[in-house]
Amino acid sequence: QVQVKESGGGLVQSGDSLKLSCTTPGHPFSMSTMAWFRRAPGEEREFVAGLTFGGITYYLDSVEGRFAISGDYAQNTVHLQMNSLQPEETAVYYCAASTAHLGTPRQETQFSSWGQGTQVIVSS
């Protein structure tokens, strides 16, 4: 399994931006498909954005155009830039890694390595 660590969560106001970061110590993230998921209070964990090992990005429809996933290969870090955040996007955000190369996976079961999560709170 790949070790995954997230950082960058916090409290922001509606309409603000926030950038999350994810590292995979000892493992080049470029060898995996990386993704961000989130779990809002009382909800199931849902896919938010993904970056395949081939560099393809893909998103949940509701964040397309506002969120951007990117990889910093020199720092071995994957970022999730989140703009125009809304209160309903308050959630614990998780970074996940898959070494299976399954195209553009969106299901939790397709990812074998997970971080502990970072809390994002968007106040109205």
Side-chain angles (χ1 to χ4, degrees), residues 2-4 13 15 20 24 30-32 36-37 41 73 78-79 87-88 90 97 101 103 112 118:
V2 176
Q3 186 178 9
V4 180
Q13 294 189 335
L20 305 181
T24 54
S30 58
M31 296 177 65
S32 301
W36 288 93
F37 286 73
Y73 297 93
V78 175
H79 298 291
E88 56 267 28
T90 292
H101 301 326
S112 57
T118 185

Side-chain angles (χ1 to χ4, degrees), residues 12 21 27 29 35 41 57 69 72 83 101 103 116 119:
V12 297
S21 298
H27 173 84
F29 77 81
T57 60
I69 187 170
D72 182 334
N83 300 323
H101 301 326
Q116 293 298 306
Q119 178 74 58

